Amino acid sequence: MDESTAAWALRVGEAELAVKLPRRWAHSRGVAARAAGLGRVLREDADLLGSAATLHDVGYAPRLATTGFHPLDGARFLRDEHRADERLVRLVANHSFALLEAEERGLREVLEAEFPLLEEPLLVDALVYCDMTTTPDGTRTTAQDRVAEILGRYGADSLVGRFIRRASAEIFAAVERVEAALAGQPR
């Protein structure tokens, strides 16, 4: 591939989301902007994080939504249509504690079998941080406000509401770990 991974991710994300789901695309661009600020912590994985941030919600694209579970649909699309890097695909598949939502949907075993969670805690936490501190419109927020927004949008007793309530402590802990890593880096 001649173009950079980041440029490729931007092109793919825009093609799949910009027209049909402009608000989702705004969120994805905002998540990618957050990722750009983590380069000093992630160093050689900064481009990978940026690409995963750009593409983390690509599975919402209507033509890709085969299971209705966007992390799985997006990861399959990236793997099958684009032969994307395995680490990128696994980050997209497992972003923001997707295994917990997969369990709610009866898809946990499928997700785990096809796309095992990366054993790179800081990288996994960094994508959670970027996603869960960005509003649906792409602006910055706190993880607490983001969780409250998701609960308000979907309802506490919905499938997504149940998932986000289960995941909230893990989300907050991941955000705290990334913030601690940022605080420990020279500016």
Side-chain angles (χ1 to χ4, degrees), residues 147-183:
V147 166
E149 180 276 322
I150 292 167
L151 283 169
R153 185 165 24 122
Y154 288 95
D157 294 325
S158 69
L159 185 146
V160 173
R162 289 190 309 271
F163 149 69
I164 204 70
R165 284 187 290 119
R166 286 180 62 204
S168 63
E170 295 293 335
I171 290 167
F172 300 150
V175 168
E176 287 176 12
R177 288 189 294 268
V178 172
E179 288 172 343
L182 283 168

Side-chain angles (χ1 to χ4, degrees), residues 52-71:
T54 300
L55 294 169
H56 78 285
D57 277 352
V58 74
Y60 278 114
R63 78 174 192 92
L64 307 180
T66 57
T67 70
F69 182 45
H70 77 278

Side-chain angles (χ1 to χ4, degrees), residues 12-22 24-25 28 57-58 60-61:
V12 169
E14 184 173 27
E16 296 299 336
L17 296 172
V19 173
K20 299 235 184 220
L21 299 171
R24 184 68 57 189
W25 181 232
S28 295
D57 277 352
V58 74
Y60 278 114

Side-chain angles (χ1 to χ4, degrees), residues 38 41-42 49 119-127 177-178 181:
L38 297 180
V41 173
L42 290 176
L49 175 64
E119 293 183 20
E120 300 176 59
L122 183 58
L123 185 56
V124 171
D125 282 352
L127 187 53
R177 288 189 294 268
V178 172

